[in-house]
Amino acid sequence: MNVYDFDGTLYKGESSLHFACFCLLRKPKILLFFPKILSLYKKHKKNELCLEEANLLFKKLLEQTIVDDYELEKLLQTFWRKHEKNLNWPLIDTMKEKDVILSAGPDFLLKSSPLKDKNIFCSEIDLKNKKILFFCYGENKRIKFKEKYKEERIEKFYTDSYSDLPLMNLAQEVYLVEHGVGLGKKINQKEKEEERCK
């Protein structure tokens, strides 16, 4: 089994950030939150993001963005029509039926994407109460994988970030994909160990 990160790996960029920008054109109030969004994005890249902080911002964003399920569905359909071009098809085309995508992205966004028929595990969102139920990030990705697949081995793991080190350590081979383009570069055990010691 191979496992794939989504943002920066199967998708060029951060889909959640792109969706927030997309919604901004329709909901200008979101602009008030952009400094905080960018701050949390930087923390995410440094593997320093905490659930409480993300939850608070997410709740405020949803309150400003989403009116009802119908509006959300229309936003998502339009978003993916415009952003499908960002998908890393050369890498996606290597995926087999049993392969898995593990992402910190919200379920409502990824499970409406052109990859919705793949095995996707991501952050679980309670839209009604505007709350993150499970944040599929860092160590939580490893927990989710073990919960679903028990003793299954990861043959190849594709990611763009060392925030995925817990999953890297489960994989026989790790490939670092830069900016969501191409098949990635294989990294060795020494590189993983160096990152673990930082």
Side-chain angles (χ1 to χ4, degrees):
M1 166 188 295
N2 295 336
V3 176
Y4 301 76
D5 173 46
F6 186 77
D7 291 310
T9 304
L10 295 178
Y11 181 89
K12 187 177 181 179
E14 295 288 327
S15 58
S16 298
L17 187 59
H18 289 178
F19 186 64
C21 292
F22 170 80
C23 291
L24 175 61
L25 300 174
R26 292 149 181 84
K27 309 275 183 177
K29 285 183 182 178
I30 294 175
L31 190 59
L32 298 171
F33 299 100
F34 254 73
K36 189 64 177 173
I37 290 171
L38 292 175
S39 170
L40 291 187
Y41 171 69
K42 289 175 184 174
K43 286 185 178 182
H44 160 63
K45 282 301 179 186
K46 293 178 181 176
N47 199 21
E48 297 171 353
L49 189 58
C50 73
L51 177 58
E52 291 76 18
E53 210 173 2
N55 232 334
L56 185 61
L57 177 63
F58 193 72
K59 182 176 174 65
K60 289 179 180 177
L61 269 172
L62 284 179
E63 286 170 350
Q64 294 295 328
T65 308
I66 307 303
V67 174
D68 55 36
D69 291 346
Y70 178 77
E71 182 184 20
L72 176 60
E73 185 178 336
K74 289 296 178 188
L75 281 170
L76 290 166
Q77 287 175 1
T78 307
F79 173 80
W80 281 114
R81 277 198 302 272
K82 292 177 179 291
H83 290 81
E84 184 175 354
K85 63 187 179 188
N86 289 337
L87 290 169
N88 183 359
W89 287 109
L91 186 54
I92 292 166
D93 288 341
T94 69
M95 294 182 74
K96 302 180 185 84
E97 187 178 344
K98 68 175 185 176
D99 288 347
V100 172
I101 298 169
L102 280 160
S103 173
D107 51 8
F108 68 82
L109 181 60
L110 270 68
K111 292 188 176 180
S112 63
S113 78
L115 305 185
K116 62 188 172 194
D117 294 328
K118 305 286 186 187
N119 300 311
I120 300 176
F121 300 98
C122 43
S123 295
E124 297 165 13
I125 311 300
D126 177 354
L127 287 172
K128 183 179 178 182
N129 295 303
K130 299 176 175 61
K131 184 177 180 182
I132 301 172
L133 300 177
F134 178 77
F135 195 28
C136 194
Y137 174 74
E139 174 64 14
N140 280 351
K141 284 189 179 182
R142 188 194 68 79
I143 291 169
K144 179 61 75 174
F145 180 81
K146 285 294 192 181
E147 175 188 301
K148 294 289 181 182
Y149 296 101
K150 310 296 184 216
E151 300 304 315
E152 185 84 35
R153 294 289 306 265
I154 300 175
E155 294 171 27
K156 296 178 183 177
F157 176 55
Y158 296 85
T159 183
D160 72 315
S161 171
Y162 279 98
S163 68
D164 284 327
L165 196 59
L167 274 181
M168 289 179 173
N169 291 331
L170 295 180
Q172 294 173 345
E173 297 178 11
V174 176
Y175 293 82
L176 213 55
V177 180
E178 291 189 19
H179 313 298
V181 177
L183 304 178
K185 173 192 168 191
K186 187 176 179 181
I187 63 172
N188 60 39
Q189 188 63 33
K190 183 181 176 185
E191 289 171 295
K192 284 197 288 182
E193 290 296 333
E194 287 172 352
E195 190 63 29
R196 185 188 295 156
C197 294
K198 285 183 181 179

